[in-house]
Amino acid sequence: TQTTRPQRMLAAVQKSATRGDPRSVVKAIDQFCRQKEWAMNVGDEKGCILDSVVTEVNPATVLELGTYCAYSTVRIASLLPPDAKLITLEFNPHNAAIARQVIAWAGLGDKIQLVEGPSGDWIPKMKEKFGIETFDLVFLDHWKDRYLPDTKLMEECGLLRKGSVLLADNVICPGTPDYLEYIRNSPRYKSQYFRSHLEYTKVEDGLEKSVFLG
Ligand SMILES: O=C(NCCCCc1cc2cnccc2s1)c1cc(-c2ccc(F)cc2)cc(O)c1O
Ligand SMILES: [Mg+2]
């Protein structure tokens, strides 16, 4: 029977990456996507910008919206301090199953909690279910029309504190126009655009970094 792209990506990780070595997992996925099949990971070019923001924020609590095959999950978690926690939400059960195996291969299972289901349902439950007060860093990489409603939901649920950083993928391609309009004009955020390219292509895309001012 036919395999899926996430299954082929996992096979590439298990073939080429070293167990317990997160950077080799990241490298194996990038190689697979450049040489074999495009896939919607944040990728190596935007990934370097992601790395610099994670390193600068040095977060104790991270929320990732949109796991896919855990490429950015592993990339972020590999840079976190020892007791830091990353919660990642994935909607598609098949992708979640692949992501769990990629996370295990990278040896990052104790830093990462993968939760299956829609962001709108889970964001209001973060405090009670996971004992989270606020998130130091949120990486938005899920449905592009959910960036804005979920940001408002996180504000309403008190999940952001003065200094919390939102980093949004794909603000140009596929694009998140309503989110950009809101976040760039809101007096409650200080935003900065990092110009880059759509993963593994020459198409323009970028990351929007926004600091919540409280
Ligand atoms: O759709 C994208 N990512 C979202 C998939 C999310 C599904 C989820 C919804 C949901 C809801 N609640 C909780 C968790 C989750 S996960 C995406 C698409 C492209 C792209 C595709 C074709 C193309 F020609 C050009 C760009 C590039 C990217 O970097 C992307 O991230
Ligand atoms: Mg993306």
Side-chain angles (χ1 to χ4, degrees):
T1 55
Q2 180 59 16
T3 59
T4 65
R5 181 166 305 177
Q7 281 172 329
R8 295 193 290 273
M9 199 182 305
L10 173 62
V13 165
Q14 293 170 333
K15 180 166 186 272
S16 316
T18 308
R19 269 184 188 281
D21 176 357
R23 304 313 287 184
S24 76
V25 168
V26 166
K27 199 164 174 299
I29 294 175
D30 282 329
Q31 222 158 3
F32 174 80
C33 292
R34 282 199 176 282
Q35 293 165 12
K36 300 280 184 358
E37 304 180 55
W38 186 91
M40 61 179 173
N41 315 116
V42 74
D44 40 5
E45 191 181 317
K46 288 186 288 180
C48 286
I49 301 166
L50 172 63
D51 290 354
S52 64
V53 171
V54 174
T55 309
E56 175 204 351
V57 176
N58 197 35
T61 54
V62 183
L63 175 62
E64 175 181 60
L65 300 173
T67 316
Y68 186 46
C69 296
Y71 172 91
S72 49
T73 322
V74 164
R75 197 159 183 143
I76 294 167
S78 71
L79 298 172
L80 295 181
D83 300 334
K85 284 277 169 240
L86 188 161
I87 296 176
T88 183
L89 300 190
E90 176 51 50
F91 178 74
N92 177 312
H94 174 73
N95 293 349
I98 298 294
R100 290 187 198 286
Q101 296 173 78
V102 170
I103 290 163
W105 195 270
L108 290 167
D110 59 355
K111 278 181 182 288
I112 297 165
Q113 174 135 26
L114 195 159
V115 180
E116 290 180 45
S119 50
D121 294 1
W122 277 107
I123 287 171
K125 296 177 186 163
M126 281 294 149
K127 291 190 187 238
E128 66 176 290
K129 293 275 177 188
F130 304 106
I132 293 281
E133 274 306 298
T134 56
F135 287 108
D136 299 327
L137 174 67
V138 181
F139 181 52
L140 297 95
D141 195 20
H142 62 327
W143 287 321
K144 308 315 162 193
D145 61 0
R146 286 297 311 182
Y147 283 28
L148 181 53
D150 285 344
T151 296
K152 291 180 172 172
L153 191 54
M154 286 187 286
E155 289 173 17
E156 286 152 22
C157 295
L159 286 168
L160 304 179
R161 51 126 176 118
K162 191 171 166 30
S164 289
V165 172
L166 304 184
L167 189 65
D169 189 26
N170 310 118
V171 296
I172 303 299
C173 176
T176 62
D178 60 342
Y179 173 80
L180 275 189
E181 163 80 22
Y182 172 80
I183 208 91
R184 288 177 173 172
N185 295 303
S186 167
R188 303 184 74 186
Y189 293 89
K190 177 88 184 77
S191 290
Q192 189 180 356
Y193 175 61
F194 292 84
R195 184 168 182 206
S196 184
H197 295 93
L198 177 68
E199 47 268 27
Y200 318 115
T201 78
K202 292 187 165 44
V203 174
E204 182 180 346
D205 188 23
L207 301 173
E208 187 82 1
K209 177 193 169 197
S210 305
V211 183
F212 187 60
L213 303 173

